[in-house]
Amino acid sequence: SHGNKEVFSCWGIQLAVDWFRERGHTYIKVFVPLWRKEPPRQDSPIADQHILEELEKQSVLVYTPSRKVKGKRVVCYDDRYIVKVAYETDGVIVSNDHYRDLQNENPEWKWFIEQRLLMYSFVSNR
């Protein structure tokens, strides 16, 4: 949401990571589809892409799998990665997604998502 739905803002990701670090959190994971490593396209702009590389080097960013089949991008369902890691590490999910489908899939995840989903909004760069 940092890019106002006009651009994928890597700076927004960095701001979120910094916010948690400033509060003493050390185990932070960011999930981004692998195709975000590709050069930006006109229909999918990305700003400050180098930030993703830096976060990956710090072992903060994890790329979820994607591939091309007959010229079309096939991506995994990265929501499952997010919920699974947060559940297994007793963490918090920072997202504006409600994960309703995953709540219906697994009763343990339902409770976890209801209790551990932290929704957010950016006000300028805060």
Side-chain angles (χ1 to χ4, degrees):
S1 66
H2 186 260
N4 294 324
K5 298 182 182 180
E6 295 172 12
V7 63
F8 183 83
S9 171
C10 300
W11 180 241
I13 294 171
Q14 184 67 63
L15 289 170
V17 168
D18 291 346
W19 191 90
F20 283 95
R21 283 180 172 159
E22 288 167 9
R23 283 150 184 80
H25 297 278
T26 56
Y27 187 80
I28 301 168
K29 294 296 173 197
V30 173
F31 292 90
V32 175
L34 182 63
W35 63 268
R36 289 288 184 189
K37 269 184 150 180
E38 298 171 6
R41 299 185 332 214
Q42 192 170 11
D43 65 335
S44 183
I46 184 169
D48 301 311
Q49 197 170 20
H50 66 280
I51 291 172
L52 300 182
E53 295 171 21
E54 286 303 313
L55 291 173
E56 183 182 26
K57 287 178 191 171
Q58 298 166 21
S59 298
V60 171
L61 186 134
V62 176
Y63 285 105
T64 57
S66 67
R67 60 192 171 110
K68 285 198 175 181
V69 176
K70 296 182 181 176
K72 291 189 177 186
R73 183 179 297 128
V74 177
V75 296
C76 76
Y77 187 51
D78 56 358
D79 288 358
R80 190 168 277 111
Y81 281 89
I82 294 165
V83 173
K84 187 174 185 331
V85 168
Y87 179 78
E88 290 174 352
T89 60
D90 199 29
V92 172
I93 301 167
V94 179
S95 176
N96 287 333
D97 188 330
H98 292 273
Y99 302 98
R100 285 187 184 97
D101 54 334
L102 294 177
Q103 288 185 43
N104 295 330
E105 182 178 299
N106 183 328
E108 291 177 357
W109 284 6
K110 178 177 176 42
W111 180 90
F112 185 82
I113 292 166
E114 287 173 351
Q115 300 301 312
R116 297 293 183 89
L117 178 60
L118 176 62
M119 302 183 100
Y120 67 92
S121 60
F122 283 98
V123 178
S124 299
N125 286 329
R126 298 180 66 197

